[in-house]
């Protein structure tokens, strides 16, 4: 067997594979002899079928199968040994009237080659790194939410401006029949507020869904319907009152602090606010980090210039899927995926040049940190090390989970690298301002 490469240009090449009869004959003969031993053909005893008949019936199929195996194995070996960085997979060139009866068989494969380029993390234009701070207003609102959440419910006879009303929404035509609890301070409609004020248990009130709540998303959960249906809903619904309560805010005392953070970890209102600020800003950091990662990705794609073997990739996309595409469909698919492919190449270059790797031990520690944060969301604030080890062992036995966590850890390593080496400008903002600037 002989394999040679013809370089068409920097991004395209053709690999030629010449296979002689000696490369495949012994293997084909052995398989056909095995077929002869097992063949059941009327008129012949088992194992006594003439070899000529076996070759006539199975020879061509066995030959094609064995030659294709040879091609695949040796082509992959050649690409590895020659250190050819290919995009997609080698594409066999169409050969009309190919003669499988010849002793020597010649094949050609088109290759799309990865481009050569440099990546400069010091982009021409600085990328904004947002530092989101929890301002006084946000902290006070969070304290109020905590006091409300852990406060006591006091039964009332009439609806007041800050009460919680439990009851049933109904509208037969819209198939609405749903029990919910309304918080008066979340209702926007003045007509609804006036209609509910002073009402008692057992009273029925007609409310219009248009502009009922200060936050639009509340309507779907209140009515028990899908959000897309609630978006355009403008109908009257009846609300039957079953229960009226006033929520007395919890006192900011040691009992509440211990309930929230564990015994003795917070001992004053100031420490509570400091803890809220710290925890909020940790959560904000995840959002600002994701924004930073997205922005640097876009900037690197924009400023790292290189050509791709576009025509080869369109051809590869056209035939590589489960269902072949038309040329126009393949062109459209290439255009949709081009930016992602460019960043894959850029990211691969950055990882290679900076020797970024994911080691098993650090992946396990990363998994334990992820598990710990998940547990905290369900109130398990201080899990034991053996508990974390046990859960991490189960997670690490799942290959899909290992792949997902490995990708997350590599993203974190890239983010750390960008923070160290990229051209960044830090901007301190409140959370509201971050949302306006980042996603407007």
């Amino acid at each position: 067997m002989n394999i040679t490469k013809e370089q068409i240009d920097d991004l395209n090449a053709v690999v030629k594979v010449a296979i002689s009869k000696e490369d495949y004959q012994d293997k084909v003969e052995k398989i056909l002899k095995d077929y002869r031993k097992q063949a059941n053909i009327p008129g012949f005893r088992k194992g006594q079928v003439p070899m000529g008949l076996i070759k006539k019936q199975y020879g061509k199929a066995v030959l094609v199968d064995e030659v294709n195996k040879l091609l695949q194995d040796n082509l992959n070996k050649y690409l590895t040994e020659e250190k050819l960085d290919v995009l997609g997979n080698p594409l066999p060139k169409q050969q009309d009237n190919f003669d499988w009866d010849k002793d020597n068989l010649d094949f050609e494969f088109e290759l799309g080659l990865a481009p050569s380029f440099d990546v400069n993390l010091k982009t021409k234009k600085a990328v904004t790194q947002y530092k989101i701070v929890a301002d006084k207003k946000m902290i006070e609102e969070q304290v109020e939410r905590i006091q409300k959440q852990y406060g006591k419910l006091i039964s009332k006879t009439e609806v007041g401006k800050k009460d919680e009303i439990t009851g049933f929404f109904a509208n037969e035509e819209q198939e609405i029949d749903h029990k919910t609890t309304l918080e008066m301070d979340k209702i926007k409609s003045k007509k609804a507020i006036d209609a509910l004020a002073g009402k008692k248990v057992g009273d029925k009130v007609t409310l219009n869904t248009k502009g009922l709540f200060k936050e639009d998303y509340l309507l779907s959960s209140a009515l028990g319907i899908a959000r897309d249906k609630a978006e355009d809903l403008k109908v009257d619904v009846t609300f039957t009152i079953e229960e009226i309560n006033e929520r007395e805010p919890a006192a900011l005392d040691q009992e509440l602090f211990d309930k929230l953070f564990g015994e003795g970890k917070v001992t004053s209102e100031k420490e509570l606010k400091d803890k809220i600020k710290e925890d909020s800003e940790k959560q904000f950091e995840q959002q600002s980090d994701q924004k930073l990662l997205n922005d640097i990705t876009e900037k690197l794609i924009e400023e790292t210039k290189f050509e791709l073997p576009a025509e080869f990739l369109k051809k590869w996309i056209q035939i590589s899927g489960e269902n072949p595409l038309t040329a126009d469909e393949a062109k459209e698919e290439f255009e949709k995926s081009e930016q992602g492919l460019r960043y894959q190449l850029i990211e691969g270059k950055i990882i290679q040049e900076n020797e970024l790797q994911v080691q098993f031990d650090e992946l396990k520690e990363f998994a334990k940190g992820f598990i710990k944060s998940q547990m905290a969301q369900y109130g398990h604030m201080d899990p034991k090390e053996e508990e974390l080890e046990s859960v991490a062992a189960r997670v690490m036995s799942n290959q899909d989970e290992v792949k997902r966590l490995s990708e997350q850890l590599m993203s974190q390593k890239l983010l750390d690298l960008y923070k160290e080496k990229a051209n960044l400008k830090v901007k301190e903002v409140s959370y509201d301002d971050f949302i306006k600037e980042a996603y407007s």
Side-chain angles (χ1 to χ4, degrees), residues 63-91:
L63 170 66
V64 171
D65 190 43
E66 287 307 306
V67 168
N68 280 328
K69 286 179 185 175
L70 271 175
L71 280 171
Q72 185 174 338
D73 292 345
N74 287 278
L75 187 56
N76 288 339
K77 184 179 176 185
Y78 175 82
L79 296 177
T80 302
E81 289 175 349
E82 295 295 315
K83 297 179 180 177
L84 293 175
D85 193 359
V86 300
L87 301 179
N89 293 314
L91 290 179

Side-chain angles (χ1 to χ4, degrees), residues 231-425:
E231 281 177 3
D232 301 316
L233 195 63
K234 299 174 185 176
V235 296
D236 286 338
V237 288
T238 60
F239 184 71
T240 304
I241 300 173
E242 288 195 336
E243 192 178 329
I244 305 166
N245 293 297
E246 178 184 2
R247 191 173 287 272
E248 183 181 278
L252 296 175
D253 57 18
Q254 195 60 47
E255 183 184 352
L256 178 63
F257 302 153
D258 290 348
K259 195 180 290 184
L260 290 169
F261 303 107
E263 192 172 342
K265 292 188 176 177
V266 169
T267 59
S268 67
E269 186 176 337
K270 181 183 182 304
E271 287 182 16
L272 169 67
K273 290 179 178 178
D274 289 343
K275 187 78 170 85
I276 289 171
K277 180 177 174 66
E278 179 188 346
D279 291 348
S280 296
E281 290 179 356
K282 273 184 185 174
Q283 291 180 356
F284 296 155
E285 189 175 354
Q286 293 177 2
Q287 285 183 266
S288 64
D289 280 352
Q290 188 58 55
K291 172 67 175 164
L292 178 62
L293 197 59
N294 293 344
D295 289 348
I296 289 179
T297 297
E298 287 183 13
K299 188 58 66 178
L300 287 172
I301 292 172
E302 180 187 326
E303 294 192 7
T304 307
K305 305 294 185 184
F306 55 82
E307 295 297 320
L308 289 170
E311 292 309 311
F312 169 85
L313 289 170
K314 290 172 194 173
K315 205 184 298 184
W316 176 69
I317 288 170
Q318 188 174 356
I319 67 171
S320 63
E322 286 185 23
N323 300 310
L325 305 177
T326 66
D328 287 341
E329 287 172 337
K331 179 174 181 285
E332 184 181 345
E333 194 62 34
F334 170 73
E335 288 169 355
K336 283 195 287 188
S337 60
E338 183 181 359
Q339 295 294 77
L341 174 58
R342 286 183 178 278
Y343 185 66
Q344 280 182 17
L345 292 170
I346 293 168
E347 186 184 85
K349 183 92 168 176
I350 293 169
I351 290 170
Q352 180 186 29
E353 289 182 347
N354 292 277
E355 298 180 345
L356 301 181
Q357 295 179 337
V358 172
Q359 305 290 349
F360 179 82
D361 287 345
E362 62 181 347
L363 183 61
K364 185 178 175 184
E365 288 304 309
F366 183 75
K368 283 158 70 175
F370 178 77
I371 293 161
K372 194 172 181 179
S373 67
Q374 291 289 98
M375 287 180 167
Q377 289 181 22
Y378 293 95
H380 194 357
M381 306 301 293
D382 194 22
K384 293 180 180 177
E385 182 63 22
E386 54 265 31
E387 189 178 0
L388 289 173
E389 282 283 344
S390 174
V391 179
R394 288 201 302 273
V395 170
M396 299 292 281
S397 68
N398 184 319
Q399 289 304 308
D400 290 337
E401 283 297 305
V402 169
K403 182 175 182 291
R404 184 178 65 83
L405 288 169
S406 296
E407 289 170 353
Q408 288 182 359
L409 180 53
M410 182 54 75
S411 288
Q412 185 60 53
K413 285 176 175 280
L414 286 165
L415 185 64
D416 293 341
L417 178 72
Y418 295 156
K419 286 181 178 180
E420 178 189 347
K421 295 188 175 182
N423 183 13
L424 305 177
K425 58 177 181 183

Side-chain angles (χ1 to χ4, degrees), residues 57-250:
Q57 192 159 346
Y58 302 109
K60 183 66 65 66
V62 172
L63 170 66
V64 171
D65 190 43
E66 287 307 306
V67 168
N68 280 328
K69 286 179 185 175
L70 271 175
L71 280 171
Q72 185 174 338
D73 292 345
N74 287 278
L75 187 56
N76 288 339
K77 184 179 176 185
Y78 175 82
L79 296 177
T80 302
E81 289 175 349
E82 295 295 315
K83 297 179 180 177
L84 293 175
D85 193 359
V86 300
L87 301 179
N89 293 314
L91 290 179
K93 290 187 76 171
Q94 186 68 36
Q95 299 182 63
D96 295 329
N97 303 317
F98 188 82
D99 186 0
W100 285 96
D101 294 324
K102 288 170 38 178
D103 287 346
N104 298 318
L105 304 171
D106 296 314
F107 302 89
E108 293 186 359
F109 295 86
E110 296 178 63
L111 301 183
L113 304 177
S116 176
F117 59 91
D118 295 317
V119 181
N120 186 3
L121 294 180
K122 295 286 185 185
T123 51
K124 296 170 189 173
K125 189 175 178 182
V127 177
T128 301
Q129 180 183 3
Y130 290 97
K131 178 175 173 53
I132 309 171
V133 295
D135 56 22
K136 185 177 179 181
K137 181 187 172 199
M138 174 177 280
I139 294 168
E140 293 293 347
E141 286 174 351
Q142 182 65 7
V143 170
E144 285 181 19
R145 276 195 291 271
I146 290 171
Q147 287 183 278
K148 193 172 182 180
Q149 182 182 346
Y150 289 89
K152 289 191 301 184
L153 286 177
I154 301 169
S155 181
K156 291 185 64 180
T157 57
E158 291 186 359
V159 176
K161 288 185 178 180
K162 293 187 177 180
D163 292 341
E164 297 179 10
I165 318 160
T166 299
F168 273 92
F169 273 115
N171 179 301
E172 189 174 342
E173 186 180 336
Q174 297 292 330
E175 297 182 341
I176 295 169
D177 184 13
H178 188 66
K179 185 174 182 176
T180 191
T181 297
L182 298 179
E183 296 178 47
M184 286 292 288
D185 58 5
K186 290 186 178 177
I187 294 176
K188 178 182 178 182
S189 167
K190 189 174 184 307
K191 280 186 179 180
I193 294 170
D194 291 342
L196 288 164
K199 292 297 185 288
K200 299 177 181 180
V201 172
D203 287 348
K204 286 188 178 182
V205 182
T206 300
L207 307 173
N208 193 277
T209 58
K210 183 182 178 183
L212 182 57
F213 294 102
K214 292 177 182 177
E215 301 290 343
D216 291 338
Y217 74 89
L218 292 172
L219 185 62
S220 62
S221 59
L223 301 180
I225 60 175
R227 186 173 290 189
D228 57 349
K229 180 180 177 182
E231 281 177 3
D232 301 316
L233 195 63
K234 299 174 185 176
V235 296
D236 286 338
V237 288
T238 60
F239 184 71
T240 304
I241 300 173
E242 288 195 336
E243 192 178 329
I244 305 166
N245 293 297
E246 178 184 2
R247 191 173 287 272
E248 183 181 278

